[in-house]
Amino acid sequence: MLQVENLTVYYKTIRGYVQALEQATFKIADGEIMGLAGESGCGKTTLGHSLIYLRPPMNYIGGRVVLDGQELPIWDMEKMREFRYRHVSLIPQYAMNALNPTRKIGRMIAELLESRGVNYNDVLPELKRRLDLVQLTHDVLKMYPIELSGGMKQRTVMVVSTLLNPSLLIADEITSALDVSTQKAVCEMLVEFRDRGFVKSTIIITHDISILYQIADSILVMYAGQLSEKAPSEIIFRDARHPYTRLLIGSLPKVGVRYREERLRGIPGSPPQLLNPPPGCRFRERCPVAFDRCVEVPPFLEISPGHFVACWRAY
Amino acid sequence: MLSLEHVTKIYRLGAFGLQKLIAVRDVTFEIGEREIVSLIGESGSGKSTIGKLILRLIPLTSGRICFEGTDVSTLNGRSLKEYYRKVQGVFQDPFASFNPIFKADRIFRMIREEFYPGMNAREWSEKVEGALRAVGLNPPDVLNKFPHQLSGGQLQRFLVARALLLDIRLLIADEIISMLDASTRVDVLNLLADLKARGLSILFITHDLSLGYYISDRAVILYRGRIAEMGPTDRVYNYPLHPYTEMLMEAVPRLDRKWDEEIRVEREGELASMAVTGCVYASRCPKAIDICKEQEPELKEAEAGHFVACWA
Amino acid sequence: MVRYLGRKIFIYLLTFFVAVTIDWLIPRFMPGDPIGMLLSRIGSRPEAFKYLYTYYVQAFQLDVPLWQQYVNFWKGLFQGDLGVSIWMYPQPVMTIIRRAIPYDIFLLLPAILLSWFAGNHVGALAARIRWLDNTILPLGYLLTATPYMWLALVLVWFLGNQTNLFPIAGAYSPQYRPHLSLTFILDVLHHWFLPFLSLFLVMFGGWAIGMRNMIIYELESDYSRYLEALGTPQYLIRRYAFRNAMLPQITGLALQLGGIVAGAVATEVVFAYPGIGYIILNAVQNKDYFLVQGCFLFIILGVLIANFLIDLVYVLVDPRTRLGMTGE
Amino acid sequence: QPQTVTVTVVQTAPPVKETIVITPTPAPAAEVVYPRNETLYTSGKQWGPPTSWNPLQTGAYAMGVIGLCYETLFLFDPLKGEYIPWLAESGKFVSDLVYEVKLRDGIQWQDGKPLTAADVVYTFELGKLPGVYYAGLWNWMEKVEAVDDLTVRFTFKEVRYQSWYNLLYSVAIVPKHVWEGRSDEENVNGPNLPPMGSGAYMYETHSEERMVWKRNDNWWATKLLGRSVAPKYIVDLVNPSNNVALGRFLKGEVDLSNNFLPGIATLVEGGYPVKTWYDDAPYMLSANTAFLFMNTTKKPMDDPDFRKAMAYAVNVDEIVTKVYGNIVQKADPTGLLPTWAQYVDKAVVDELGFSYNPDQAKRILDQAGYKDVDGDGFREAPDGSKIELKIMVPFGWTDWMESIRVVASSAQAVGINLQPDFPDFGGYWDQLTGGTFDMAINNFGSQMSDTPYTFYSWLFRSPIEASMPNGNFGRYDNPEVFALVDELDKTPKEKMAAVISKIQRIQLTDMPAVPLWYNGLWAQWQDAYWTGWPSAAEGASKYLPCTWNGYWNMTAILMLTELKPAQQ
Amino acid sequence: MEREVLQEVEELKQLPRPIRSEFVYFAWRNTKLRIGVSILLLFVIFAIVGPFFAKYDPHAYIGPMGAPPSREYWMGTTTFGQDVFSQFAHGTRSTLIVGVLGGCLGTMIGILIGLFSGYRGGLVDEFLNMITNIVLIIPTLAVLIIIATYLEVRGILTQSVFIGCTAWPWAARAIRAQTFSLRVREFVDLARMSGRNSLNIILTEIAPNMMSYLLLVFILQFGGAVLNAATLDFIGLGPTRGVSLGLIMNNAVLWAALQLGQWWWLLPPGAAIAAIVGALYITNVGLDEVFNPKLREM
Ligand SMILES: Nc1ncnc2c1ncn2[C@@H]1O[C@H](COP(=O)(O)OP(=O)(O)OP(=O)(O)O)[C@@H](O)[C@H]1O
Ligand SMILES: Nc1ncnc2c1ncn2[C@@H]1O[C@H](COP(=O)(O)OP(=O)(O)OP(=O)(O)O)[C@@H](O)[C@H]1O
Ligand SMILES: [Mg+2]
Ligand SMILES: [Mg+2]
């Protein structure tokens, strides 16, 4: 059970603060896989990282993060250390390079675990079971990362990251570098990990929304540092309330749709600068239904159970 | 218009090129007038290599590529320039396509210097603005800026506009939308469709099947440098003949249908070597029979215009 | 692996051949007449001059055509014969080099290894301890930037002449005849220390700086970030960073070790230490073709062997190189 | 015992056998030390590792091979101008063409065999081999024979007095019983290791850095002359550089240094425990003359007026005081060393001699037509062509480098465009001997000796050939003076003055080369371990304190017999 | 010494795209850069104006012999009575000239070879690579000694030339690696599709992208050249005419300045070289930090 309240995180740059995450408030239930979607640069990674690994130039501005009833000291790199891995874990965007290239994987895992006070040999049977689960031979433990293919590395990192059964797993863009077939396999594994209780809640960050449709229980859509909408995935696809979400979904090509038959439409305009963004709803400029109220920031309200929207038009 | 005949590309690696990597093997297909052909395949299957071969950016190992009847490998100097007047490419990473330290419109200047040295400044700037408008950009917004001041979609359109400055007949679009946001993607895709309407042929290289379906007339499915299947898009998508294509179709995340939990995708082959006898897909193929392991299947016409390379 | 080795060996052999050919050519293009110089040194009287001149030209085979000299050179090389030195006539080049090399090893090996070891550790420390970074590093830069001879001379003057702590030249006191005894060994060490120290100081700075920067890069790399995100304690991350940062340093070390044979011309000149460096300088100044050639040959061999070993060692310690090897 | 291995080094004709010596590796048993208070440490002769112990290879042999190990029939004392019988008891012309030497009775080789007339005959007959430095002797000597065990008779075709007396004290007698078993090749070109002579010291060991001699306790001179040498060992250190030489000397590691040590005057004056021959300027004896050679085959150096102007132009005093800090002396206009002062014809020098006088130089140049026509500050030749000259010395010969800077600026001061140039020694030597240089400094053949003939035969070396490695670098071609020099050789000592006077007249009129200053007999020593050093001081002995080749038999060996251990 | 630092430059994997104002901002904030550049500027200014303040011909014997620093002779005099300050001023100038020229040449050759071998690849690359390796193998100093003896007259120009000619391999290697990564960038392909020829592409597309990198390489080459020149001067193979800091030291050593207590003759030139080269190295590190955001301190 993860509760995020008014989380605000900025990047400090020489020209001022980049307001990459503004007043984020949402909840993830145990066993929920939440997809985090939105266009590039809208703050998805920022949100993901701030839950586990908030370090300069990221600046903690405000807000609370409560995991399983315990507040995470996310603003303190050192205090956070204890929570990382055991409670919150991460499959990073750069999973391909996340393993120390000069250590055999098994040895690296052992050292990693020992350093966290866990006995490698105790965990080894479980580790092997999970390798089986992701269809990796046990030999990978005796190999160097370079000897594995991209997909294998990806899966290895998945296993490593979830080995201590964290209650929150953040998977950042883990499928974008993979082929469709591998993509599917990896996604199914995430679901399986959840099903088997290796992790409780999962946040999957991706810009490939069709994947979220396949595996996510709920989807959180962000726009320019603000949360736009969160709802069970079916609802996001069938009955989204935020105009941005609707336009986004509408622009996705589907197999079986050809341009001659149905011409898709993009969203005109481009997102605002996050350095000194305009006040109010940040989608205002591009929104077809914007009106004068939109100069105020719309609150992220629950309009039906599990369906949150931040849009004056939607309430 | 453009035809590839038994095109093979072998990269030589290591000191003195003692190692070989077969990136493209015996590929034969054509692109007709006003046709969008999508080239689909997983990463490393040789899609970009084919694009670069057509664009003469890398030399061919064997086979022939003919553009309007002339073998492109014979071109050089002037004739190569003439070729580029008709055939151009746009690549995957819009940011990498611009030299980050120069302003973005430098790519237009380069075209002018090389292809229109005589044209006067006003005429030229009109031409440029025309091309920019044609790709849906507002010239004053985008001219005179550095690449990092423009968005990926804008840059990608810049590149298309650049190609339009020449009287191109064929555009090689190598994953031109994979780095773009979902919403911008569509605009660029639609732009391609418009170009076709203006009489261009397009080789649309992608790994995203839904995009390939959206835009193309014909699809070529590549697996490890070989053509697995090709034919009219709807035939290939709806009635795939090759097990690989079938698997792909199954794995595509669709918005109208959830993945079938029952059909488990075979994991990719773990570091299988390139040099195998028989069908390259055999090791992953659920339907493989004995002959698959021994002999390489030829590309056969299964129905009109629909080819497949599979023993089954 | 075998193919990889075979290819490497081929390239090394080719490089060796070309380098040795250049090595053979260089002294032959030196201006000046080596025999004339030899005789001017011998100070022969006019009566004997002409006879000796022709005698020596023949003795050194300088009268045969160049290509013949070249062929003879390779022939000799395969028999381990590098000819006779002109400067130290009539000693064979091989003898001279063999005598000098132990001094180089004795002086440079400890200097290189210790400075490498100390430099790497101090550099790694500096990468995380601020005050060290602000003291040792500037010192390191200053040391690497100091003209070596100058530093050595100031050391000689201060520790040798002013405070009389150390002898200033030679490999051992002229009182002794080389033998195995504690006094002699102590005497040798006493003479060794100043040249060693000067080399150590200068090399130390370079290693420390290199290590510090490399560690910083490693600490910023993806795998460090991943470990950190998993809450791994700093010590483990640093250990990994150190190990990985070490790899380029190993290359540097190997190159330096390969260069041992080259000696340290500057050190050996300042401290009159009888290594190859000292010999090279004299050989060049005396137009001693054969000696110059012989010294270079050993240097080339040293560097090539070191490079080759590094290629091999790298395969063992850095799995990343194995990829390029198998060509997958 | 060193191990001697004979290896064929060169395959093609002529087949040459080289004796390659593997340095004896001492048994790592007992500690062998050359105790500081029993050992004389010297330096200054050896600029490279010792490689030859063959007394026939003058100049190449290790420090002390002739003098300490091999000995000569006579010694020569240049300060007194006297020959001192040494191995010989006496020697005299018994007739016009016959010279007879009587050897001392009881001289033994270091291996205990007696030294007899046969050895002397053998030694001189070696001169018949090409390549031996006294090979020229046999052009005018008929034969040499042993009359009895102690008497040797030399019969000449023609007597060349100067050459003969010179050889009498410079040819080292070698043991026939050792040498006759070896090939001529080896005798002339081999390293002759270990050397075995009759002298006060025996070969002990050598290495890259030093040469070690050990006292011969059965030296004949102790019995026959009552002279003995005190140092049990002599260790001669190889010079790596002047800097190291000075450092070692200041640390007291060297007793006698024959290095050129810059600033030695400062140290002597500054109260360091350093001694030199004179305790005031010029501190050192003079050993040879530095000449300014001008290439007389080139314009404008072919013009005697120009050369004379150069002689007047050079500010030698500045060289002496600034560059050398007064440790050298200005040369006499004739260039003859102080030890040959008796041969200087005062009248000729008064009439034709020169001294530093830039105005005179300008006057001579003006008169000869060297004028600055184009106004660039430098004179042009009378035919209007530009004059751009270079003066060279080898790079790294610092005192000379500084000196030619002075020479160049002196020349510039009188309007001659002369620039200093510092090729490395190889380049210098090529240009000097090949006659392609403009001007250069050299002193090689002007060393102190028993006769000014050696000096003149170097200065006026003839004939002029393509390569001139043995003197007359300026290629001054004057048959008249060549004839005079030859005549000088055949003139007995007492009649030399007349011939020399003629030579000097020509020399000062034509000025083929300008004597500038006398290089010192660099020698500095300290008393910490050894006393009894010679010096100009009252009561001190007057033998030469010098380890250079050729000086041991110019009384340096006698200097050694005077040394006593210092009271510790 | 220089190599280690270069190596670290080689590690610079990706070059940022500096926005100009950002560059200036970080450059100004970087203490190392500030210190390094200030020291360098000091010496450059001194090299330019110093000789005008030097009252005497550096070689002329004008003063008392071996006098310590005084009001008249700011840095004392040599054994011969030459003014050390005049020598120092002129020497600094020529030392910097050698550094710049040698550094430029080394960098330039390195750039040419590195760019070509990186851009062309294949056999050209193999060949150039082998040359680079061979030049690397042959001991620089020893070759410099030989080259130096070739020349009868050596000036600072020739010295710069042969220092530059032997110092380039490291630069070439580093630049080659950079070029390799740049030549597969898509803008290069784009230029080719615009009909540009190879030379044009190398010069106008690839080289400008490495500017910051080239600057770093140049600085290291500069420092290396100064040190190499000093060593050559020291072993007596420096310019046969003129004066440089290395030559002053050489003379001071040959005339036993330290042993005779004339520290003012030997110490300043060595210290000056250390300061110049040290400043260059520090500048290099500073620039590296500025160019590379990973090393920046926020
Ligand atoms: N180190 C940084 N310094 C300054 N601004 C940054 C930094 N990293 C990210 N930003 C800015 O913060 C905003 C959010 O970035 P973030 O990486 O969270 O986006 P994202 O949604 O994950 O994008 P993507 O899909 O491309 O990964 C962006 O506008 C970006 O420009
Ligand atoms: N310049 C090159 N040198 C050597 N091998 C290369 C080179 N370029 C590509 N390859 C190899 O050729 C194969 C095909 O590459 P290509 O870039 O054509 O694949 P792709 O289908 O475009 O993949 P992606 O979807 O990742 O772009 C790959 O295995 C790749 O590693
Ligand atoms: Mg591609
Ligand atoms: Mg004039």
Side-chain angles (χ1 to χ4, degrees), chain B residues 15-16 52 55 57 84 88-89 91 93 96-102 106-107 110 113-115 159 162, chain E residues 17 19-20 123 126 184-197 200 204-206 208-209:
Chain B
F16 297 103
K52 287 189 176 165
L55 287 168
L57 293 174
Y84 283 141
Q88 277 292 334
F91 301 114
D93 184 351
S97 297
F98 288 82
N99 204 333
I101 56 172
F102 297 116
R106 182 175 127 96
I107 59 165
M110 216 139 64
E113 281 162 17
E114 298 293 335
F115 293 99
L159 291 170
R162 168 186 166 280
Chain E
R17 311 162 178 175
I19 303 162
R20 246 154 263 172
L123 275 180
E126 297 287 352
V184 294
R185 294 277 278 277
E186 291 167 358
F187 60 81
V188 174
D189 280 341
L190 207 70
R192 288 174 65 193
M193 288 192 308
S194 302
R196 290 259 152 143
N197 61 27
N200 221 316
T204 61
E205 301 287 335
I206 293 181
N209 265 294

Side-chain angles (χ1 to χ4, degrees), chain A residues 11-13 18-20 38-47 57-58 93 172-173 205 207 274, chain B residues 181:
Chain A
Y11 286 94
K12 192 176 169 189
T13 69
V18 174
Q19 308 182 3
E39 61 196 74
S40 175
C42 69
K44 304 186 296 290
T45 305
T46 312
L47 174 54
M58 271 189 207
Q93 197 162 1
D172 190 356
E173 299 277 14
I205 300 174
H207 59 252
L274 293 185
Chain B
D181 281 321

